[in-house]
Amino acid sequence: MTNLLHLDTSIRYEGSVTREISGAFAENWRAANPGGGYVHRDLHASPIPHKDGTDQGISADLIAEVDAADVILIGAPMYNFSIPSTLKAWIDQVATSEHFAREDGTFAWGGKRVVVVTARGGSYKPGTPRESFDFQEPYLRAVLSMVGLDQNLEFVHAELTLADVVPQMHQFRELAVESLADAHRVVKELAGA
């Protein structure tokens, strides 16, 4: 039996692009894996406490969820060019030294599949003016690599999500629609793989 761990981090419910797309992935994955296990953790509705140097008693439960998962789905909107603080708090609780590379270079979590769904108000693709402002994907790639969760890692980006809201971006509305449609197409393919 395969298991999916689904993390949502958006502060929005209505109109959240990451919730929409990660929800589509989860729905398609569950249809393709009818006997699979599914855990959904909404890090905005039930935030994880930030590390404070004490034994908070939360890490073991979170680590057990990662241990049990074959697929980890992370919905991560871009906030101020990075990730939501709720996702950072989760990472701090699970990405501990006990999950770093073993002496032989392997990782306990090395065989897991990870899909990160992002929503970005602008475009941060290579060659765009704001490419260097992307601290979201590079950070997640780096921190996930620390615990071996980068070995089967896919990013699905929905970009230009503010094109309808910011007047200076209205010229990019068609590109935003294309980006959202492409993200939906990609998660459908990934969920069935």
Side-chain angles (χ1 to χ4, degrees):
M1 179 169 89
T2 25
N3 295 302
L4 172 64
L5 172 60
H6 177 184
L7 305 174
D8 269 320
T9 63
S10 177
I11 59 173
R12 295 172 43 197
Y13 290 91
E14 188 173 320
S16 168
V17 173
T18 56
R19 286 181 188 276
E20 174 187 330
I21 298 170
S22 70
F25 179 99
E27 181 180 323
N28 283 290
W29 185 91
R30 292 174 82 187
N33 299 276
Y38 176 70
V39 172
H40 180 247
R41 185 174 281 278
D42 187 332
L43 296 174
H44 176 68
S46 300
I48 303 302
H50 291 277
K51 286 239 180 199
D52 64 5
T54 66
D55 180 9
Q56 298 167 305
I58 183 93
S59 287
D61 291 339
L62 300 175
I63 288 169
E65 289 177 354
V66 175
D67 285 342
D70 300 291
V71 180
I72 301 168
L73 170 63
I74 302 171
M78 179 182 273
Y79 293 160
N80 296 318
F81 310 115
S82 189
I83 62 171
S85 64
T86 53
L87 179 54
K88 175 69 167 72
W90 179 85
I91 290 168
D92 289 344
Q93 294 284 354
V94 301
T96 61
S97 60
E98 63 199 49
H99 295 97
F100 292 175
R102 301 173 183 141
E103 285 186 29
D104 65 359
T106 63
F107 293 88
W109 292 341
K112 298 185 185 297
R113 185 169 173 225
V114 180
V115 176
V116 179
V117 172
T118 74
R120 300 155 161 219
S123 182
Y124 301 88
K125 292 180 181 178
T128 61
R130 293 219 169 179
E131 174 185 2
S132 67
F133 286 53
D134 178 7
F135 299 100
Q136 179 191 48
E137 182 176 338
Y139 168 74
L140 287 170
R141 282 190 182 280
V143 76
L144 294 173
S145 74
M146 190 172 68
V147 292
L149 291 175
D150 65 324
Q151 296 172 5
N152 190 0
L153 173 62
E154 296 270 355
F155 278 82
V156 180
H157 300 297
E159 295 201 316
L160 300 165
T161 61
L162 292 178
D164 274 339
V165 180
V166 177
Q168 299 88 332
M169 294 180 65
H170 284 342
Q171 63 185 324
F172 303 117
R173 287 183 281 199
E174 286 183 30
L175 292 174
V177 169
E178 289 173 19
S179 181
L180 181 61
D182 189 53
H184 274 285
R185 179 190 58 75
V186 171
V187 295
K188 187 173 184 180
E189 290 172 7
L190 291 174

